[in-house]
Amino acid sequence: MSVRIDAIIVGLGAAGGLIATELARGGQKVVAIEKGAFYRQSDFLGKFDEIRYYCRSAIVPHMKSDPITWRPNEKTKAEVLPWASNTLGLGNPFQIPPSMGTGGGTLNWGGAAFRFREADFRMKSTIAERFSESALPEYTTLEDWPIDYRQMEPYFDRVEWELGVAGKAGNVNNTTVEGGNPFEASRSRDYPMPPIQRGAVDDLFCDTAKRMGYHPFPTPTAIATTDYKGRKACTNCGFCHGFPCHIGSKLSTHDLIKAAVEETGNLEIRPFSRVFRINKRADGRVKGVSYYDADSRIVDLEAEVVILACYALENARLLLNSGINGNGHVGKHLILHNYGWFNGVLPEITNSFMGSLQGGSIIDDYTSELIPDNEEGVLWGSPINTWTGDFQPIETIHGLPPHVPKWGKSFKDWMGQNFRRLFRMYSQHSTLPSNCYYVDLDPVVKDPFGQPALRITHEWTDYDAKAVEYFMRIKRKIAKEMGMLEWWEDSPTPNYHVTVHDVGTHRMGLDPNTSVTNPYGEVHECKGLYAVGGGQFVSQPSYNPTQMIFALAYLTSDHLLERV
Amino acid sequence: MSNMFFNEEEMGLVQAICSRLIPSEPDSPGAMEAQAYTYIDHALAGYFSHLQNYYRQRLHDFNRLANRYYGADYVRLAAEQQDELLHSIERMQVGEDSDDMRVFFEVIHEHTIEGTFGDPKYGGNRDFVGWRMIGFPGAQWGYTGEQMQLGYDSGQIEILSVTDLLKRHKEAEKEVSRS
Ligand SMILES: Cc1cc2nc3c(=O)[nH]c(=O)nc-3n(C[C@H](O)[C@H](O)[C@H](O)COP(=O)(O)OP(=O)(O)OC[C@H]3O[C@@H](n4cnc5c(N)ncnc54)[C@H](O)[C@@H]3O)c2cc1C
């Protein structure tokens, strides 16, 4: 190839899409390799379609092309996880890695956008100080982060203002602001846009929560609520989570990438191409990647810098498949979220199909280090999140209360009475990283290109179940106070093992013996190779991870552009 | 014959099953009026073409069960017997001989739901029967703050399919198509 390439980016999702944009705008020549499509906005105009996006999972990887296997422990043989309109066309695609194509997971995400708390960077020491050195279960490999809130604050701010997040600040420069989250860490300024349109249930939830002594605040969302930097204000269409946005209100790196391609001339995208190996030079530095192009031909591409941004699971698969795992830490320390779903029916019609799922409020009174002293041994808290809109019919039917028949007249009656008054609360309990739960290469199952499938070894622990149950009790109390007519709960040890918040598989650290990357995402054992995204996380907060993924992507970009 | 995949006999059986899964009532149509069976037929000719033999075989087995337990084809049974058979298949324990039937029940149940509550362009949800049943207005460009108030009657909103919606938004479509 005659043209010099400064950087190859593998995967154009949250992290890769932002880094590709930043480098191209900073004057670097970038080639991005993406296994999905290079979409046009018009592809999404008819997106109000549950069959296409939910039942048939039009923009997510499928079992056949992208198999992932799972086993609960090392004694059991792993089996291919069912998802995405599985072989029999049974739609239960909760268990999915985020979508593919330009934008990746930011095409179908829900847009909840949180900063970490200060303590989220020092979970291990916070627990040791608060409880005792021996409070943590023995199996955990939990560590503190090598970076802290103060260092990341400017990057969180940049995500909120450059990319655009809507919300209400609760603490600006150490001054409490009415209406926001009183428990948040100090921020340098408010959000650039007001919170998203409230779902009809929000007043009832907030009044109830306040009466019970909690401090609800509106969920911050990376969804434009006013026209902002070329993005249109959200219309509250109610096809949001799991669907691409029809007008670009929901932040997607697809839009950033597309603008960067057109405006800089520095970014070339090679869609329908999947990388299967990272190549190294004799001196150990990265040389480039090998990929299957759209016609399944193998192509080798070289560059000074290679950035893996394929999501925490696929990043680990590529590192392992390329023999880059000198210290044995790749794929270890897997952390998932357990959502503790709590569904219910409200006494009044709220039209729960309208608007964003994030049109409600959150309680942070017991989040992370704010967990009250307790007998159960729960060491780390979670918010109580609400889900106020964005319910579609088929997805709702997949989650009916156990007492309701799945068919017949009673089914019909229940749906007729209740589809318009649904409400959901949930939490985000992070599992503790360990050496027992990890991802590696499946010894048997291969993808259609002959590459080993990723294998997940994971089971929910007693500790996880305890934490979930602690918060279920709070949700039950709130439900009662709200006057909810009935409610039903997910198991504290649910049957999903891919949670779309899967992190930690190539965690960062300063010590090359115990971590995979440095804080900029550069892989210790292979100069010039970066592995970015949630895989870099050392611990997972009880918030959605993507604002942090963006913040880290800015950090990596600044480093590559020699700004830091 | 307007079917894309099923023969007449299979279609009769699928219709009989659909009409028990989401039954029709005097003032409230069900899967039959929604033509969920057309959805299934079209899907098998297209997106689910890998399930053609599966459906054919299982429908045959299903009817055999009807004959074994009630001595007649499923379509000839009384509604109560039809329900009874569906119930017993649904409750079959994993690992029993008829495990296959239990899974098939799940499959045809799922596809009946999809054919009743999905967008009409896939062949089902005729006249928005499924969406009317539950008060869902379908594909809407958005909702206003006034509509997102407690107790708002969504029956005031005209139900739209994706196709209807895009017709109304030709202008927006043009604007977005340029990008
Ligand atoms: C339904 C849903 C709702 C969500 N809601 C939220 C939310 O509200 N808030 C939040 O913070 N997070 C949310 N998430 C999670 C969020 O989507 C992820 O955290 C985020 O997208 C991860 O970013 P990433 O860059 O690591 O990977 P991704 O965004 O997944 O991007 C990876 C990209 O790499 C490509 N790729 C993979 N393998 C290869 C290969 N071998 N070669 C070439 N390309 C490859 C993929 O096609 C994809 O485009 C949600 C996810 C889903 C699925």
Side-chain angles (χ1 to χ4, degrees):
Chain A
M1 243 188 111
S2 51
V3 187
R4 174 188 56 95
I5 305 174
D6 293 310
I8 296 170
I9 298 189
V10 187
L12 284 171
L18 184 55
I19 295 173
T21 306
E22 285 294 299
L23 296 188
R25 292 203 181 275
Q28 295 204 355
K29 291 281 176 206
V30 179
V31 172
I33 302 170
E34 165 57 54
K35 77 176 170 186
F38 184 6
Y39 295 108
R40 299 167 59 93
Q41 189 62 30
S42 49
D43 292 340
F44 303 140
L45 256 181
K47 66 80 188 254
F48 316 82
D49 184 344
E50 212 191 351
I51 299 277
R52 179 169 179 172
Y53 289 101
Y54 174 69
C55 303
R56 301 185 182 176
S57 305
I59 54 173
V60 309
H62 281 226
M63 279 167 73
K64 270 226 175 74
S65 50
D66 301 81
I68 291 182
T69 66
W70 168 78
R71 57 182 186 171
N73 54 53
E74 293 179 343
K75 292 192 205 96
T76 314
K77 187 173 167 293
E79 285 180 12
V80 177
L81 274 177
W83 72 59
S85 176
N86 71 32
T87 38
L88 291 175
L90 293 171
N92 192 1
F94 178 71
Q95 205 150 240
I96 45 170
S99 48
M100 41 189 233
T102 45
T106 62
L107 289 173
N108 63 356
W109 71 322
F114 289 91
R115 297 173 166 216
F116 275 30
R117 313 176 59 72
E118 283 166 307
D120 286 327
F121 291 92
R122 341 177 29 254
M123 181 171 170
K124 184 182 182 185
S125 8
T126 306
I127 290 174
E129 288 155 17
R130 162 80 184 282
F131 299 98
S132 79
E133 293 280 351
S134 58
L136 278 163
E138 231 164 64
Y139 62 80
T140 182
T141 53
L142 184 63
E143 292 295 340
D144 286 344
W145 288 62
I147 49 178
D148 63 20
Y149 180 83
R150 198 183 40 80
Q151 287 165 302
M152 291 310 288
E153 204 282 332
Y155 290 99
F156 290 142
D157 181 83
R158 205 159 142 194
V159 175
E160 288 159 7
W161 282 78
E162 279 187 31
L163 300 181
V165 177
K168 179 81 193 102
N171 178 357
V172 179
N173 293 319
N174 288 310
T175 309
T176 305
V177 183
E178 197 54 42
N181 178 8
F183 303 108
E184 74 175 348
S186 177
R187 50 170 58 248
S188 45
R189 51 182 166 168
D190 203 337
Y191 293 94
M193 293 175 277
I196 196 160
Q197 169 67 42
R198 309 286 75 206
V201 60
D202 190 50
D203 281 346
L204 174 62
F205 175 80
C206 288
D207 291 348
T208 308
K210 284 181 196 154
R211 209 163 55 235
M212 295 172 74
Y214 300 122
H215 300 80
F217 64 95
T219 308
T221 57
I223 300 175
T225 56
T226 56
D227 290 351
Y228 190 78
K229 299 204 167 187
R231 282 160 63 200
K232 291 224 167 17
C234 174
T235 60
N236 313 307
C237 74
F239 285 86
C240 191
H241 179 262
F243 300 85
C245 187
H246 56 309
I247 51 168
S249 311
K250 182 165 76 175
L251 172 66
S252 153
T253 57
H254 163 79
D255 301 325
L256 306 177
I257 296 158
K258 203 163 159 302
V261 168
E262 283 161 10
E263 289 163 24
T264 69
N266 288 334
L267 174 57
E268 182 199 331
I269 294 179
R270 301 191 182 169
F272 303 117
S273 300
R274 55 173 74 209
V275 170
F276 63 94
R277 194 177 57 226
I278 303 140
N279 301 315
K280 292 203 284 186
R281 292 198 215 145
D283 66 359
R285 203 191 147 84
V286 77
K287 182 175 174 202
V289 298
S290 299
Y291 68 89
Y292 295 102
D293 73 6
D295 300 314
S296 302
R297 281 178 308 231
I298 292 180
V299 180
D300 296 322
L301 193 64
E302 297 184 6
E304 282 297 297
V305 166
V306 171
I307 300 160
L308 289 186
C310 301
Y311 193 65
L313 301 179
E314 178 80 351
N315 274 2
R317 181 169 87 131
L318 287 176
L319 290 168
L320 294 170
N321 210 23
S322 313
I324 301 172
N325 185 22
N327 64 16
H329 281 272
V330 173
K332 297 282 163 57
H333 320 299
L334 174 68
I335 311 173
L336 311 179
H337 267 159
N338 185 318
Y339 294 100
W341 301 120
F342 184 100
N343 300 288
V345 170
L346 294 160
E348 288 184 82
I349 286 188
T350 59
N351 294 310
S352 31
F353 50 82
M354 293 182 180
S356 157
L357 68 147
Q358 313 287 5
S361 298
I362 290 196
I363 293 170
D364 242 354
D365 294 61
Y366 297 159
T367 301
S368 299
E369 82 285 6
L370 303 174
I371 181 86
D373 289 338
N374 62 85
E375 312 245 294
E376 293 86 339
V378 180
L379 305 169
W380 206 245
S382 163
I384 307 273
N385 303 66
T386 59
W387 185 310
T388 58
D390 202 4
F391 284 88
Q392 292 91 35
I394 302 171
E395 190 185 22
T396 299
I397 293 167
H398 287 158
L400 292 178
H403 75 87
V404 176
K406 281 164 65 185
W407 56 280
K409 180 170 159 41
S410 327
F411 157 79
K412 212 177 147 192
D413 291 346
W414 192 92
M415 278 298 285
Q417 276 155 22
N418 298 321
F419 177 66
R420 277 164 293 180
R421 47 181 103 207
L422 301 169
F423 177 61
R424 181 179 291 157
M425 289 183 263
Y426 62 104
S427 304
Q428 310 198 87
H429 301 281
S430 300
T431 60
L432 295 167
S434 74
N435 287 324
C436 348
Y437 300 134
Y438 56 88
V439 302
D440 63 0
L441 300 177
D442 194 289
V444 184
V445 181
K446 306 231 181 316
D447 72 12
F449 299 88
Q451 304 299 326
L454 186 85
R455 176 172 67 178
I456 297 176
T457 303
H458 171 260
E459 191 54 293
W460 305 104
T461 63
D462 291 346
Y463 177 80
D464 299 331
K466 256 187 333 206
V468 174
E469 174 53 26
Y470 185 92
F471 282 82
M472 280 295 185
R473 280 205 296 274
I474 302 172
K475 291 171 204 161
R476 277 174 220 138
K477 280 189 197 141
I478 297 174
K480 244 181 236 156
E481 277 292 314
M482 283 176 78
M484 280 168 73
L485 300 177
E486 62 167 317
W487 55 82
W488 60 105
E489 302 169 7
D490 197 5
S491 157
T493 53
N495 62 2
Y496 53 79
H497 300 278
V498 177
T499 68
V500 309
H501 296 173
D502 317 299
V503 303
T505 50
H506 47 85
R507 74 182 183 185
M508 68 161 80
L510 301 178
D511 181 354
N513 295 313
T514 57
S515 59
V516 179
T517 79
N518 68 19
Y520 302 117
E522 189 166 18
V523 176
H524 294 304
E525 77 179 79
C526 183
K527 275 257 156 287
L529 175 66
Y530 291 74
V532 298
Q536 289 171 276
F537 284 23
V538 184
S539 62
Q540 168 131 278
S542 317
Y543 299 129
N544 314 55
T546 311
Q547 177 157 353
M548 183 60 168
I549 291 176
F550 282 133
L552 290 172
Y554 271 134
L555 181 65
T556 300
S557 309
D558 278 2
H559 165 74
L560 287 168
L561 294 168
E562 290 171 10
R563 291 180 186 145
V564 287
Chain B
M1 186 170 90
S2 60
N3 303 348
M4 285 184 174
F5 168 67
F6 291 129
N7 64 35
E8 287 303 322
E9 202 184 322
E10 289 160 346
M11 188 49 117
L13 180 51
V14 170
Q15 290 180 345
I17 297 173
C18 286
S19 47
R20 293 325 301 155
L21 291 179
I22 308 178
S24 313
E25 298 163 88
D27 295 322
S28 160
M32 197 58 193
E33 291 79 3
Q35 298 189 0
Y37 52 85
T38 306
Y39 169 82
I40 301 178
D41 181 56
H42 289 192
L44 284 170
Y47 187 79
F48 290 141
S49 60
H50 62 288
L51 294 180
Q52 289 183 354
N53 294 345
Y54 176 83
Y55 253 88
R56 196 143 260 168
Q57 186 63 44
R58 292 304 185 281
L59 284 172
H60 180 77
D61 296 348
F62 184 90
N63 205 31
R64 270 225 318 253
L65 275 187
N67 276 285
R68 184 152 102 214
Y69 290 118
Y70 300 98
D73 286 350
Y74 188 76
V75 293
R76 311 226 171 285
L77 304 182
E80 294 72 40
Q81 292 174 320
Q82 291 183 328
D83 282 356
E84 212 174 81
L85 185 63
L86 286 173
H87 273 299
S88 57
I89 291 176
E90 188 189 14
R91 293 203 197 100
M92 279 174 183
Q93 295 299 311
V94 184
E96 268 180 42
D97 281 358
S98 310
D99 189 26
D100 282 353
M101 268 295 108
R102 196 187 48 84
V103 174
F104 178 61
F105 173 83
E106 268 183 56
V107 172
I108 196 163
H109 172 267
E110 170 66 22
H111 297 161
T112 303
I113 298 292
E114 291 176 8
T116 306
F117 298 101
D119 191 87
K121 75 178 158 198
Y122 296 93
N125 195 5
R126 180 94 183 222
D127 298 329
F128 305 127
V129 158
W131 291 346
R132 275 183 223 288
M133 192 188 302
I134 60 174
F136 182 55
Q140 300 289 328
W141 196 258
Y143 297 101
T144 64
E146 290 73 52
Q147 291 170 332
M148 290 175 69
Q149 299 299 323
L150 221 54
Y152 177 83
D153 172 17
S154 63
Q156 297 177 47
I157 302 172
E158 188 190 352
I159 303 182
L160 300 177
S161 67
V162 173
T163 314
D164 299 335
L165 178 66
L166 292 187
K167 262 187 228 141
R168 302 198 177 186
H169 281 270
K170 272 275 173 271
E171 280 317 300
E173 190 172 353
K174 261 186 234 139
E175 193 182 313
V176 178
S177 299
R178 274 198 295 273
S179 65

